[in-house]
Amino acid sequence: MNQYLAITSRGLENLLADELSQLGASQVKVVHAGVRFSADQHTAYRCCLWTRVASRIIQILSEFNVRNDLDLYLGATAINWDQYFSSSTRIVVDFNGTNREIRNSQYGAMKVKDAIVDRFVKGNQPRPTIDRERPDLRIHVRLSNDRAIVGLDMAGSGLHQRGYRTEAGQAPLRETHAAALVMKSGWTPEQPLLDPMCGSGTLLIEAAMIAAEIAPGLKRKHWGFEALKDFDEPAWQEIHAEASVKARRGVSKVTVKFYGREMDRRVLSIARDNAGRAGVVELMDFEYGDAAQLVRPKDFETGVILCNPPYGERLGTTPELIELYTELGNRLKLAFAGSTASIYSSSNELLSCMRMRADKQFKLRNGALDCVLKTYKITAGGVKQVEGAQEGELEEQQVAPDFANRLKKNLAKLDKWAKKEKLDCYRVYDADLPEYNAAVDKYKDYIVIQEYAAPKSVPEEKARRRLMDIMRATIQVTGVDSDKVVLKVRERQKGKSQYQKLSSAARYMTVDEYGVKLQVNLFDYLDTGLFLDHKITRRRLGQMAKGKDFLNLFAYTGSATVHAACGGAKSTTTVDMSNTYLRWAQENMALNGQVGQQHEYIQADCLQWLQEVDDTFDLIFIDPPTFSNSKRMKQSFDVQRDHIMLMENLKRMLRPGGQIVFSNNKRHFKMDEAGLLALGLQAKNISSETLPQDFARNKHIHNCWIITHKEGGL
């Protein structure tokens, strides 16, 4: 009897232990991410051929303590390697784990390789060949803390490589992982199985192979144990032949179908090819179909629905996924009452969109992601077919009714106002209800949802669930397609957070604001290129700018410059530190026919530029950040601390009779009026006059002042 270690994913140890016991293994013991067991040679072959869950099976040769690299070398040298394989065998060492002294797996592999080679050389034998690309045998080393296990990989490569899958869809499940999900789903071989998002068919193929008693390793061309000196070829051939006969007979005994639906026709074709190579294609019913419009197959009465829907690593992909999970839940309840559904996802929030209560759940990691398989007994409820509607049209229970009702009321009032004001972009909800802490903006037929940071007293999971409810309810209330809902999750940033870039897709759209055309980008940046609370300020600048030389500082995308130019400004100067936003400003100007040498764009640190420039202007707009310590700026800036310093520089640039429009977004900002008077300036607070109706609830969204020379009056 030899000692073996079967390796698997965390969470699958007990499943693997049961499987190995059924295959004849003895002294089965669960360990971290694996199972240890004893077996004779023939049972070990059978375990390699038939295990559906193990990723590798290692014959353990030695275990020893490892405090440093010398311990590792001596422990590996003590193994009588030529007892197991000849020097002509091509080998490679796989090393897993580190400790305080051996911090690099490549270094650990090198020390073991040196020990093996030295052992052969000291025995007056040729050096074994190291072949990383096509080894005959893999040496496996697992180091955990100060304990090492050294052994021989019986398979030679991962046991998930069944041989039937040459191509796969996006983010495919490993075959071993898929088999585990099938086994944990509650499905039995007497039940039909449906995967509404089947991809390359792995879940269905693994289930069909179980039903047909097809050994998962039957198609493999190479096994590591074939390179061992004690390889018993007649016994192996007998075990393999027995499995081949069972597979040929097994398919004809299966009385149920396996149903796969997939929206990508190319991937669906791959699924058919994979099923053909696995020998189960005749058991499959693959069709093109959308899970959000799932219907019960003709011959599917009750059975199991098992799927691994996308769950998105970035929350920005969530609006479409919310709709997918919501509709999947609706379809299951409408068409599959009496069946069971097992859904595998890394997102409990998305699973909650299905509005179904799980009877069981099974936690399992998928790579680096913590995932869960939830099993539901499907009952009709929470959804019904709309009376008099076409077949398949559903009525869904309202999500987050308090939020939804407030959003409806706001839309009824603000949509009319925006149409009258000729505004394509406006805010329709701004944390009106404390428990739903987000802003919802309309940009033509798009919706942008911005999350506000939840109070520390609210658990993160609860905050995420509420954000999910906001997105779901917004989609329901507005009727907007989910691909036109954009989620922006704002994290605490240093400096001017709107400069954070999210992608490089460059997706722009043109909107109207009081007759001015502006470009916005809803997807690629944290902010959209347009601060909606400043719309009245921008219109006022347009009204003030006729015949004047206009300066826009901290200009961002130049929307204020566009209003001034369209209002008849004699010239405009636009200053910002970002070339990206200056180009955006130029494009905004060109959209409105505002081109020519009278319009200047300057890339500069605004604070530095203010101290150096000698030009003067009739009208200046400045909207600085509340705080900035950007590496590109030569000094830090705090608007409360430094606004008088700004005004000192601006006064020098302001012509007699000129005006400064000064705005900022610092809550509880206090203008230093005494400091202004000392400079010979005076200020008029126009914050309430520049607060648009869609921000009426948020009196402190911005501060806005008109500043003039004292003798010039207001």
Side-chain angles (χ1 to χ4, degrees), residues 315-487:
L315 198 55
T317 64
T318 301
E320 290 179 71
L321 295 181
I322 284 176
E323 184 176 49
L324 173 63
Y325 279 73
T326 300
E327 285 304 309
L328 177 60
N330 290 342
R331 297 287 163 175
L332 292 176
K333 287 177 280 190
L334 182 71
F336 293 91
S339 291
T340 300
S342 284
I343 314 297
Y344 183 58
S345 177
S346 72
S347 172
N348 274 307
E349 292 84 5
L350 285 171
L351 287 169
S352 71
C353 294
M354 295 172 59
R355 295 289 168 174
M356 296 168 67
R357 185 182 296 277
D359 295 286
K360 296 178 182 178
Q361 66 176 29
F362 173 56
K363 293 182 179 180
L364 176 64
R365 288 178 69 85
N366 185 10
L369 291 174
D370 288 318
C371 297
V372 63
L373 178 72
K374 290 196 174 185
T375 300
Y376 310 85
K377 291 179 180 177
I378 304 172
T379 57
V383 62
K384 62 182 179 180
Q385 194 159 334
V386 180
E387 187 177 349
Q390 294 189 13
E391 184 178 356
E393 289 190 21
L394 306 173
E395 177 179 83
E396 188 186 355
Q397 184 180 9
Q398 179 64 64
V399 178
D402 292 344
F403 167 80
N405 289 335
R406 178 59 65 93
L407 184 60
K408 284 178 188 175
K409 290 178 183 177
N410 290 356
L411 284 167
K413 178 175 68 175
L414 292 170
D415 282 355
K416 292 178 183 177
W417 166 77
K419 186 175 181 180
K420 180 182 175 183
E421 295 285 304
K422 298 180 180 179
L423 295 170
D424 282 344
C425 315
Y426 47 100
R427 182 152 293 182
V428 293
Y429 177 89
D430 195 4
D432 298 29
L433 305 175
E435 61 268 34
Y436 296 106
N437 197 25
V440 182
D441 298 328
K442 280 189 76 172
Y443 285 78
K444 287 188 172 179
D445 56 345
Y446 282 78
I447 296 288
V448 175
I449 299 173
Q450 299 181 61
E451 179 196 34
Y452 291 138
K456 291 182 180 179
S457 58
V458 178
E460 183 180 352
E461 184 178 342
K462 189 173 185 178
R464 285 176 63 88
R465 192 179 304 118
R466 285 177 176 173
L467 183 59
M468 287 279 184
D469 287 345
I470 288 171
M471 288 186 282
R472 293 180 64 201
T474 300
I475 291 170
Q476 284 183 320
V477 169
T478 62
V480 171
D481 291 340
S482 60
D483 60 354
K484 290 188 174 181
V485 177
V486 183
L487 174 65

Side-chain angles (χ1 to χ4, degrees), residues 44-58:
Y45 292 165
R46 191 170 287 108
C47 289
C48 288
L49 183 63
W50 281 96
T51 179
R52 300 184 189 278
V53 182
S55 57
R56 294 185 184 274
I57 292 182
I58 308 301

Side-chain angles (χ1 to χ4, degrees), residues 155-169:
S157 60
L159 286 166
H160 69 280
Q161 297 173 10
R162 315 286 209 221
Y164 65 75
R165 195 166 77 177
T166 58
E167 288 186 84

Side-chain angles (χ1 to χ4, degrees), residues 533-541 544 620-624 647 660-666 669 671 683-692 699-707:
D533 61 301
H534 281 309
K535 59 175 71 73
I536 290 179
T537 307
R538 289 189 288 268
R539 181 178 65 176
R540 188 158 183 166
L541 286 167
M544 297 167 65
I620 299 172
F621 176 57
I622 182 167
D623 178 34
M647 295 306 152
I660 299 168
V661 177
F662 168 56
S663 178
N664 69 75
N665 290 81
K666 181 176 175 61
F669 173 80
M671 178 68 79
K684 177 185 177 183
N685 191 335
I686 60 168
S687 300
S688 60
E689 299 172 33
T690 56
L691 186 70
K699 306 292 185 186
H700 304 290
I701 187 68
H702 69 243
N703 308 283
C704 198
W705 307 73
I706 292 181
I707 297 170

